[in-house]
Amino acid sequence: GAVVSQHPSWVICKSGTSVKIECRSLDFQATTMFWYRQFPKQSLMLMATSNEGSKATYEQGVEKDKFLINHASLTLSTLTVTSAHPEDSSFYICSARDRAISYEQYFGPGTRLTVT
Amino acid sequence: LAKTTQPISMDSYEGQEVNITCSHNNIATNDYITWYQQFPSQGPRFIIQGYKTKVTNEVASLFIPADRKSSTLSLPRVSLSDTAVYYCLVGGNDYKLSFGAGTTVTVRA
């Protein structure tokens, strides 16, 4: 089946630094990838939609200059949290749409970010 | 995006059938209904998807009435490992998913 990986699975960084999270579709091509954030005991909240070769579309309230998204290829999207603060600590999850099966969407295992 | 409403939690015992009903009164003509399962600290896992009537796969069944304003996920003979949060989502061709609160299903021995 379709597999989406994320790297790293967990990361601890100091306040003020930046951290990059990678999302890869391993066995399919994804024209569209999505980034979500999930706080403890809450649901997933869509942050942005990432389309290969174009700028990401951010949801209302999500700072595009703080959460930089790059979707340089059909199998890789990256989310960079810039100048991280403790309130950015969360579980970040990506998902990818299989371009061959437009309604199928596969989720990565998530990345736990802790900002100290 | 169509809003969905589902119970916050459900309790069951091993071997029982669990049915979770989701309301989506504003579903659009081209919307599909998809259910995901999520364990703590993991990404959601696709369970089943349907458009109308009944869909069945190796893990669940999805019942959708003719008016499509609701859907019911049926998990046959649950086990302890089925304890998770279950999300009902409705989406169309752009498939931008909006997750609701989900239903926490707790299976007891």
Side-chain angles (χ1 to χ4, degrees):
Chain A
V3 178
V4 175
S5 70
Q6 284 185 239
H7 178 79
S9 55
W10 61 269
V11 58
I12 301 173
C13 70
K14 291 187 182 296
S15 187
T17 62
S18 296
V19 60
K20 180 186 288 188
I21 302 170
E22 292 185 349
C23 176
R24 294 182 185 273
S25 56
L26 297 185
D27 49 3
F28 66 97
Q29 293 185 326
T31 48
T32 305
M33 289 183 171
F34 303 89
W35 286 95
Y36 298 82
R37 181 167 52 182
Q38 186 174 33
F39 292 109
K41 297 197 181 300
Q42 293 187 25
S43 186
L44 285 78
M45 184 182 73
L46 179 65
M47 299 175 66
T49 302
S50 166
N51 291 298
E52 186 263 339
S54 64
K55 290 184 179 180
T57 303
Y58 292 82
E59 295 300 302
Q60 192 172 8
V62 177
E63 300 176 56
K64 62 179 182 180
D65 294 330
K66 180 169 183 61
F67 299 99
L68 302 179
I69 292 173
N70 183 279
H71 192 161
S73 77
L74 286 172
T75 60
L76 173 64
S77 176
T78 60
L79 168 69
T80 301
V81 183
T82 63
S83 187
H85 291 286
E87 56 265 31
D88 298 323
S89 298
S90 187
F91 193 52
Y92 292 86
I93 306 169
C94 72
S95 70
R97 273 179 61 187
D98 187 333
R99 69 186 304 197
I101 311 172
S102 62
Y103 294 113
E104 294 285 345
Q105 191 170 146
Y106 305 96
F107 285 81
T111 296
R112 174 76 58 193
L113 169 64
T114 301
V115 184
T116 60
Chain B
L1 292 169
K3 184 177 174 356
T4 60
T5 303
Q6 48 184 126
I8 295 296
S9 64
M10 296 182 73
D11 288 345
S12 184
Y13 290 92
E14 284 189 293
Q16 291 189 332
E17 178 182 82
V18 171
N19 296 304
I20 310 170
T21 296
C22 177
S23 298
H24 28 79
N25 292 316
N26 297 323
I27 189 169
T29 303
N30 62 345
D31 284 346
Y32 279 71
I33 300 157
T34 311
W35 286 79
Y36 286 88
Q37 174 193 56
Q38 187 183 28
F39 297 112
S41 296
Q42 293 186 28
R45 183 176 76 101
F46 173 89
I47 300 175
I48 198 166
Q49 183 181 75
Y51 183 80
K52 61 180 179 181
T53 63
K54 176 184 175 182
V55 180
T56 297
N57 62 23
E58 61 275 10
V59 298
S61 294
L62 179 60
F63 300 91
I64 306 170
D67 65 5
R68 302 198 331 122
K69 293 183 183 299
S70 68
S71 59
T72 299
L73 174 72
S74 181
L75 305 172
R77 294 185 298 282
V78 293
S79 63
L80 296 176
S81 62
D82 293 316
T83 294
V85 179
Y86 293 82
Y87 294 99
C88 160
L89 292 101
V90 173
N93 209 18
D94 67 354
Y95 226 60
K96 194 167 73 168
L97 299 178
S98 177
F99 282 79
T103 298
T104 299
V105 172
T106 304
V107 180
R108 306 180 193 282

